[in-house]
Amino acid sequence: MATNAVRAQVGAKWQESFARLNRGEPGITGLMAFSEAWTLVTEFLRPRDITDPTPPKQYNMQQVRAAFDIINKCRRLPVMLEVFLDDMRKCQHLITREVEAHMTLYETTPDPDTIRKLVFRLVEWYNAWLPIRERVTPVLGPTIISAYTLAFQTHLFSVLPPTFAGGIKSLVAASLVHVASQPAGPPDMTLWAAFETLSLIDRYETLIASVGYEFIESYVLETCAGKWTEPMLATLRTWMVDRVVPWMILPYARGATNADEAKSMMQGVGSRFDFHLHKTLCDLRSREIFDIIVDFPESVGALQDLKECLQRVDQRAELVQALRRANKKRLLHPGADTKDILTQYVSTIKCLRIVDPPGVLLFKVADPIRRYLRDRPDTIRCIVASLVGDGESGDSLVDESEPILPLQQPEMENYSDPEWTPEPIDAGPDFRANKSSDVISTIVSIYDSKDLFVKELQVLLAQRLLVVKDGNFDRERRNIEILKIRFGEPALQVCEVMLRDMTDSRRIDQHVQSQNATIMHPTIISRHFWPALESSDIIMPGQFQALQERYAKEFSVFKPDKVLRWLPHLGRVHLELELDDRKIDADVPPLEAAFIELFSDKDVWTVDDLISRVGSVSRSAALKALATWVDMHVLKEDDENVFRLLSVAEEPGTRHVPKPAEELPSIVSVQQQQAEQMRVYWKFIEGMLTNLGQLGLDRIQTMLKFAPGYDQTIEQLGNFMEAARREGLVTVKDGMWKLGR
């Protein structure tokens, strides 16, 4: 029973298939017609070898369409498609052979034209095997084309070697160079049509874009590197429109019928290329930022470009890191002069205010510079020297075009201000918007207190006043008036007293000279209002001591309530030496004058005898002073440490004695004064650590404020404690200080 049922079912299926293929014709007429149509169509679709010189067979297209119609009515088109794809797979070795031949040649001599020829050859193969769509297969046309294209490309991409991608890149780059060099010429659409036929544009989309990116990078580096005077972005955008956009139309706006349609199609990729242009210029300027700052203000154009690029490209963090690395490598090291660091810092302030007016970038870049300058012992002196300088050296930190403003303190946020704006999104928690445009206020704020600057001003002013010989103090007086505006009048009261002392000193000297004329013209100052002058135990011998005593006697008559305390190691002495065969004029320090005075008593002296006659003088200072006269051929060292007066020159002729450079008086620096002052408070610190054990720096600072006259900052206290640690007086662990064992 089951066998009969199967037989009946199979018979029914066979009858149904026969009827479909025979199409109701008498006998097997329809079946024979289907067989002929099948043979014709499969032969028509079978891929051929286009390298075969035999001409292809010509077909009657009316018969071909009729054959397709028969197969369609018999519902055998899907089977026919499978047969066609199978025949195609059997012929794929022809494509492989073609690819291998061209790529072997390209790998031997990498010429992009070889890749071009291969692409066009592959298009020939594709078109030769392509089934005709509308005229022959109107029903399954799209299906056949889609299946064919997928099969052709699948095999093609499987046999393309890795070097093909490099060849495509070279070919695309050559096309870009050609279009950029002749932007007004007619576009060559054939290559890109071939790319589209083989779907190479979609497959190598990233590679094609990279060609454009690299072309932009090359042009930007070539035209913009090291050129900072004028802004370059406008020129680069014009170049993009004229040279790159005509090429971009070929791969990215193919098929566009008008300019608006092309613009719409290229909107996304155009934005990416424009972004890359800004990014490339931003990267370049970030690498050059240190030199751009050095070249300021001639580099304003580059700064304007950088500002605009940062608005388009979010690379603010990269710019900060690049500048901080450059500063660490080229600026913040012991080999750099403090004045150069300050000059670069000022330029950095001005440049980054152009790039980022809110000041976030400056805040992040300036912090390492400020900390480094704070640790340098001569920073304050350099700043003060610039404040009171005359600008002749051309490297003053003070811009004469800027108005002179009082030092400005950081302002608290005023949220009721209608112009208040929130802090930038990349501002750190410690950031405070810098409302001040005064560079000097920014520099002075390196330190917590301006008292350090005032003390250094007093030291520098004292040195400059003491070397003035003509009595003209106009420049110093002008500087004091300017500094009053910056630091306030109370801070400059001591400087006013110092300036008044110089005027009074000339008046006192004029009175003494009118009563008893003398060749000595001392500078008389008030000890309590001047910085501490370095002391010395030099005793001027002979006529110099007599001159001092005579002047002091006359001064006591004029000022009976005052007493002169001489500082004989300061100042200059002009001498006229009369020897047996010559006269020598010399302008020397007092120690040199004291030594040569002693040689008027006898011609030969030892160094030890000379030192014993002038008081406490170091041996090195004595030898240096004697070397001055040896260089002038006034003395000669016969034996070690034995000097003889040359009454008669041993060398003929007159030797020109150059005028020595003017040296500033030896005044105790602010750092030395602070060190001495902190030693006074060491007993307080020692008592705290003895009684209370370990203490943090903040706690020590708080307790020291109760000590009489203590006015040091916590940074100064930290430096002193660190020095004490190096001496073994204290130890520190986790920020807690205790006495050393």
Side-chain angles (χ1 to χ4, degrees):
M1 293 293 294
T3 302
N4 293 335
V6 171
R7 289 177 179 175
Q9 187 175 9
V10 170
K13 290 291 183 180
W14 188 90
Q15 289 295 334
E16 180 183 356
S17 299
F18 175 80
R20 184 171 63 252
L21 294 176
N22 199 42
R23 293 179 293 122
E25 296 290 336
I28 59 172
T29 305
L31 185 60
M32 294 297 295
F34 171 80
S35 177
E36 293 175 357
W38 181 269
T39 302
L40 176 61
V41 168
T42 53
E43 289 181 355
F44 175 77
L45 292 177
R46 184 174 292 115
R48 65 184 181 87
D49 184 359
I50 62 176
T51 63
D52 187 353
T54 304
K57 181 180 180 180
Q58 300 296 321
Y59 290 91
N60 185 326
M61 298 307 299
Q62 186 174 0
Q63 294 178 354
V64 172
R65 283 194 293 272
F68 267 102
D69 185 59
I70 291 174
I71 294 174
N72 181 39
K73 290 179 179 179
C74 293
R75 293 184 293 178
R76 304 304 293 171
L77 279 178
V79 179
M80 182 270 299
L81 175 60
E82 291 295 332
V83 172
F84 164 68
L85 294 177
D86 185 59
D87 290 342
M88 180 181 166
R89 280 189 286 271
K90 294 176 181 178
C91 297
Q92 284 178 346
H93 66 279
L94 301 175
I95 304 294
T96 304
R97 183 182 63 189
E98 196 80 62
V99 170
E100 290 176 348
H102 283 81
M103 291 309 301
T104 300
L105 177 61
Y106 174 76
E107 291 168 1
T108 304
T109 56
D111 183 359
D113 192 58
T114 303
I115 302 298
R116 175 190 288 271
K117 293 178 181 178
L118 173 60
V119 169
F120 283 117
R121 187 63 171 169
L122 291 173
V123 171
E124 290 183 32
W125 284 99
Y126 178 85
N127 291 331
W129 293 2
L130 178 66
I132 300 175
R133 184 188 307 175
E134 290 82 2
R135 293 180 298 170
V136 179
T137 58
V139 178
L140 288 181
T143 303
I144 293 177
I145 299 300
S146 176
Y148 163 72
T149 301
L150 177 61
F152 186 92
Q153 293 176 358
T154 299
H155 174 70
L156 174 62
F157 294 146
S158 69
V159 299
L160 288 174
T163 52
F164 181 76
I168 286 291
K169 185 174 183 179
S170 300
L171 181 59
V172 172
S175 73
L176 174 54
V177 172
H178 175 74
V179 173
S181 61
Q182 300 177 356
D188 182 12
M189 299 297 298
T190 57
L191 177 64
W192 295 100
F195 280 177
E196 186 171 12
T197 298
L198 301 175
S199 296
L200 295 178
I201 295 179
D202 295 333
R203 181 173 181 83
Y204 295 106
E205 180 180 4
T206 302
L207 184 145
I208 294 172
S210 71
V211 172
Y213 294 154
E214 292 174 7
F215 188 72
I216 292 173
E217 291 173 10
S218 176
Y219 183 81
V220 170
L221 295 177
E222 179 182 352
T223 58
C224 300
K227 299 175 183 178
W228 309 322
T229 306
E230 299 294 333
M232 303 295 291
L233 265 178
T235 304
L236 292 176
R237 292 193 185 102
T238 302
W239 171 80
M240 277 277 292
V241 172
D242 295 341
R243 304 288 177 174
V244 181
V245 170
W247 171 82
M248 292 172 58
I249 293 175
L250 302 178
Y252 298 111
R254 55 190 185 276
T257 57
N258 53 61
D260 291 338
E261 187 176 352
K263 183 178 180 180
S264 176
M265 294 174 68
M266 291 197 306
Q267 184 174 3
V269 68
S271 177
R272 293 197 298 272
F273 273 69
D274 180 72
F275 179 90
H276 193 76
L277 174 70
H278 286 78
K279 182 180 184 302
T280 302
L281 184 60
C282 187
D283 290 340
L284 174 63
R285 295 299 183 235
S286 296
R287 293 193 297 270
E288 298 175 329
I289 186 62
F290 187 90
D291 295 304
I292 290 174
I293 293 173
V294 171
D295 202 44
F296 183 82
E298 284 74 17
S299 57
V300 171
L303 295 171
Q304 293 172 350
D305 280 344
L306 184 57
K307 177 181 180 180
E308 190 171 347
C309 287
L310 288 176
Q311 294 172 350
R312 180 78 169 85
V313 183
D314 185 17
Q315 293 194 176
R316 294 163 61 89
E318 289 78 359
L319 175 63
V320 169
Q321 292 302 320
L323 185 51
R324 289 180 68 146
R325 284 195 301 268
N327 285 337
K328 183 178 180 180
K329 180 179 179 181
R330 302 175 58 181
L331 191 68
L332 306 181
H333 56 79
D337 187 73
T338 302
K339 184 181 295 184
D340 295 335
I341 299 176
L342 284 168
T343 301
Q344 182 74 355
Y345 179 40
V346 170
S347 296
T348 301
I349 294 172
K350 295 177 180 178
C351 291
L352 293 186
R353 282 179 177 173
I354 294 175
V355 175
D356 178 45
V360 176
L361 300 184
L362 176 60
F363 179 81
K364 294 180 178 180
V365 170
D367 184 58
I369 304 177
R370 293 168 66 88
R371 284 190 279 108
Y372 186 81
L373 286 171
R374 193 182 298 127
D375 293 337
R376 278 217 169 189
D378 59 339
T379 299
I380 295 178
R381 173 163 286 265
C382 287
I383 297 174
V384 171
S386 178
L387 290 176
V388 300
D390 52 11
E392 295 177 357
S393 61
D395 57 358
S396 174
L397 303 178
V398 182
D399 189 349
E400 295 182 357
S401 63
E402 289 187 357
I404 302 173
L405 303 172
L407 295 180
Q408 301 182 15
Q409 301 298 324
E411 300 178 3
M412 297 298 292
E413 291 280 2
N414 183 9
Y415 300 106
S416 63
D417 185 354
E419 297 183 359
W420 176 85
T421 55
E423 294 175 352
I425 193 171
D426 58 341
D430 298 329
F431 171 76
R432 292 295 179 268
N434 186 8
K435 307 296 183 182
S436 171
S437 61
D438 182 25
V439 174
I440 297 301
S441 296
T442 305
I443 296 176
V444 173
S445 67
I446 292 175
Y447 298 89
D448 295 332
S449 173
K450 66 180 182 181
D451 293 341
L452 298 174
F453 290 91
V454 174
K455 291 179 180 178
E456 190 63 51
L457 279 169
Q458 295 169 5
V459 171
L460 188 58
L461 180 63
Q463 291 177 330
R464 296 178 61 147
L465 289 175
L466 291 177
V467 298
V468 174
K469 296 180 179 179
D470 57 1
N472 184 1
F473 305 107
D474 291 342
R475 190 176 71 175
E476 282 68 29
R477 187 174 286 106
R478 175 181 176 275
N479 286 333
I480 290 176
E481 293 300 324
I482 293 175
L483 295 172
K484 280 182 182 179
I485 299 175
R486 294 194 183 277
F487 291 93
E489 289 197 18
L492 274 297
Q493 285 180 350
V494 172
C495 294
E496 288 278 10
V497 173
M498 293 163 59
L499 190 60
R500 187 166 59 249
D501 277 354
M502 299 303 294
T503 304
D504 293 344
S505 176
R506 289 184 59 82
R507 180 175 55 81
I508 293 171
D509 184 61
Q510 289 172 358
H511 174 80
V512 172
Q513 298 293 342
S514 66
Q515 299 300 315
N516 189 351
T518 177
I519 60 174
M520 177 178 286
H521 298 280
T523 298
I524 303 170
I525 61 176
S526 304
R527 179 168 61 91
H528 297 291
F529 292 94
W530 283 66
L533 299 174
E534 290 186 1
S535 60
S536 174
D537 296 329
I538 293 178
I539 300 173
M540 298 300 289
Q543 61 176 322
F544 299 115
Q545 187 174 18
L547 288 171
Q548 288 179 357
E549 293 173 353
R550 189 169 66 181
Y551 196 97
K553 181 178 179 181
E554 195 62 42
F555 175 82
S556 63
V557 174
F558 182 57
K559 295 283 188 179
D561 57 335
K562 304 290 185 182
V563 177
L564 285 180
R565 184 171 67 89
W566 295 95
L567 298 174
H569 62 294
L570 301 180
R572 307 288 295 184
V573 179
H574 181 76
L575 297 176
E576 294 181 0
L577 303 182
E578 293 187 5
L579 302 172
D580 292 346
D581 62 341
R582 64 199 186 281
K583 290 184 179 181
I584 296 178
D585 289 341
D587 194 47
V588 295
L591 183 58
E592 279 87 332
F595 281 162
I596 205 63
E597 169 71 12
L598 292 174
F599 277 92
S600 63
D601 295 340
K602 62 178 184 178
D603 291 346
V604 180
W605 288 84
T606 65
V607 174
D608 293 336
D609 290 341
L610 289 171
I611 292 175
S612 65
R613 291 292 299 274
V614 297
S616 178
V617 178
S618 67
R619 193 175 190 83
S620 60
L623 291 173
K624 180 180 178 182
L626 291 167
T628 301
W629 297 115
V630 172
D631 292 341
M632 296 183 187
H633 295 281
V634 175
L635 299 180
K636 181 179 181 181
E637 188 176 10
D638 289 333
D639 296 317
E640 186 177 2
N641 297 329
V642 178
F643 292 84
R644 174 172 56 88
L645 177 68
L646 296 177
S647 299
V648 178
E650 293 186 350
E651 296 182 4
T654 302
R655 178 179 176 85
H656 173 67
V657 180
K659 185 176 181 180
E662 191 74 51
E663 295 184 1
L664 293 176
S666 299
I667 297 180
V668 179
S669 66
V670 173
Q671 286 78 15
Q672 291 172 321
Q673 297 178 36
Q674 291 174 348
E676 292 296 331
Q677 188 176 7
M678 286 304 298
R679 288 192 185 96
V680 174
Y681 298 111
W682 167 247
K683 290 298 181 182
F684 291 92
I685 299 173
E686 187 178 26
M688 294 179 206
L689 298 179
T690 301
N691 297 324
L692 302 177
Q694 301 184 70
L695 292 176
L697 200 62
D698 292 338
R699 180 76 183 278
I700 298 174
Q701 174 76 354
T702 302
M703 298 180 69
L704 278 176
K705 288 182 179 180
F706 294 100
Y710 181 78
D711 60 353
Q712 306 296 299
T713 65
I714 193 168
E715 287 82 7
Q716 294 165 349
L717 174 61
N719 293 335
F720 174 76
M721 295 297 290
E722 188 63 28
R725 184 191 64 79
R726 289 194 293 268
E727 295 179 10
L729 300 176
V730 293
T731 60
V732 61
K733 183 178 181 181
D734 298 330
M736 301 300 290
W737 297 85
K738 66 178 181 178
L739 288 176
R741 295 180 179 177

